[in-house]
Amino acid sequence: MTGRAEIERRLRAAGCVWAEDEAALILASGGDVEAKVARREAGEPLEIVLGYAVLAGIRVELDPGVFVPRRRSELLVRLAREQALRFTEPVVVDLCCGSGAVGVAVVAGLERYELHAADLDPVAVACARRNLEPFGGTAYVGDLYDALPPDLLADVIVANAPYVPSDEIALQPREARDHEPRTALDGGPDGVEVQRRVAAGAPERLSRGGVLLIETSAGQGPLTAAAVQAAGLAAAVVRDDDLDATVVVGRRPASRT
């Protein structure tokens, strides 16, 4: 078996900044360590190599070709959980769910809830179903709200929709551009194309007083907020500099007035 020092050397030579930590995780994961090191050297995301990721303290399984949760999404999870706690039995919907990490992290620890998730990619949904199963959630294949049961109303909708402008995909780290589906990254010409569709469909899918939360970037925050406002929701932009995270929160009025 390849020793830890040699694994660290190889990972460092491949450009892994945290080679020592990665070597420890690969060794601890067991299985064919040599094959895992070779995959990481080839640029495959560490989380895919390990077969799991951790978001907000919750571990989820990951399959090749599925979007890897980023730590910045902890802001989305934190804000969504705060909103979910306003409801006795919140209905939570995770759009563009990927592995389902955001949705399960939001409901983890809640006593009563209903969890649904949707993604256009069947590979992602197959992964999400395994992650949602212990939480009693359901994942659907389809395009945003069209994938959900037609009569479903949500109290909290979370969406980590793709928000990288199309022309900037080539500038993304190798792990993302070569090993994650383009549909999970490409947000159209200005990066807000999918977010606009998420916002436009939200009012018909939110309960009264329900909340839509969309992860975005600092630069695109105003565009995302404008899309949420155009849909008739009151919008606010929340920023966490430590996480380099930005979330737009849109709220449906609790009354008809």
Side-chain angles (χ1 to χ4, degrees), residues 8-21:
E8 291 177 5
R9 184 197 67 76
R10 289 170 59 184
L11 293 177
R12 195 174 295 109
C16 300
V17 177
W18 310 107
E20 294 84 357
D21 295 336

Side-chain angles (χ1 to χ4, degrees), residues 12-255:
R12 195 174 295 109
C16 300
V17 177
W18 310 107
E20 294 84 357
D21 295 336
E22 293 195 13
L25 288 169
I26 290 173
L27 284 168
S29 69
D32 191 338
V33 171
E34 172 59 32
K36 291 181 178 181
V37 173
R39 289 169 61 192
R40 185 65 181 124
E41 286 180 301
E44 198 166 347
L46 175 66
E47 294 86 352
I48 296 295
V49 171
L50 297 175
Y52 71 87
V54 177
L55 178 64
I58 303 300
R59 176 167 164 163
V60 295
E61 295 183 23
L62 279 183
D63 295 332
V66 176
F67 180 78
V68 177
R70 274 53 160 177
R71 183 170 175 261
R72 68 173 65 95
S73 292
E74 290 180 7
L75 176 62
L76 179 62
V77 170
R78 184 169 73 241
L79 295 173
R81 173 177 278 270
E82 290 173 359
Q83 295 301 323
L85 289 170
R86 297 171 45 238
F87 299 89
T88 303
E89 188 171 350
V91 177
V92 177
V93 169
D94 181 2
L95 292 180
C96 305
C97 68
S99 65
V102 171
V104 299
V106 171
V107 304
L110 299 181
E111 292 186 6
R112 300 172 63 188
Y113 59 84
E114 188 177 323
L115 176 61
H116 301 265
D119 199 289
L120 194 62
D121 184 358
V123 174
V125 172
C127 182
R129 283 174 176 156
R130 298 200 310 275
N131 289 319
L132 266 64
E133 184 177 4
F135 295 86
T138 305
Y140 313 88
V141 177
D143 186 19
L144 300 180
Y145 302 102
D146 290 344
L148 303 173
D151 58 348
L152 180 66
L153 285 181
D155 301 308
V156 177
I157 298 174
V158 292
N160 186 8
Y163 57 86
V164 179
S166 302
D167 289 346
E168 296 181 16
I169 297 293
L171 304 178
Q172 295 299 297
R174 179 174 62 160
E175 288 91 342
R177 69 174 187 265
D178 291 346
H179 297 281
E180 292 181 315
R182 188 179 179 99
T183 54
L185 301 172
D186 193 340
D190 63 358
V192 191
E193 191 172 87
V194 183
Q195 293 181 346
R196 290 190 180 95
R197 296 178 55 225
V198 170
E204 293 184 358
R205 288 297 193 145
L206 282 172
S207 64
R208 298 211 170 271
V211 178
L212 168 68
L213 303 100
I214 303 177
E215 180 173 315
T216 188
S217 69
Q220 292 159 314
L223 293 176
T224 307
V228 170
Q229 289 173 332
L233 305 177
V237 180
V238 181
R239 175 72 184 167
D240 185 321
D241 290 330
D242 291 335
L243 292 173
D244 187 24
T246 304
V247 171
V248 172
V249 182
R251 187 182 305 277
R252 185 183 180 192
S255 65

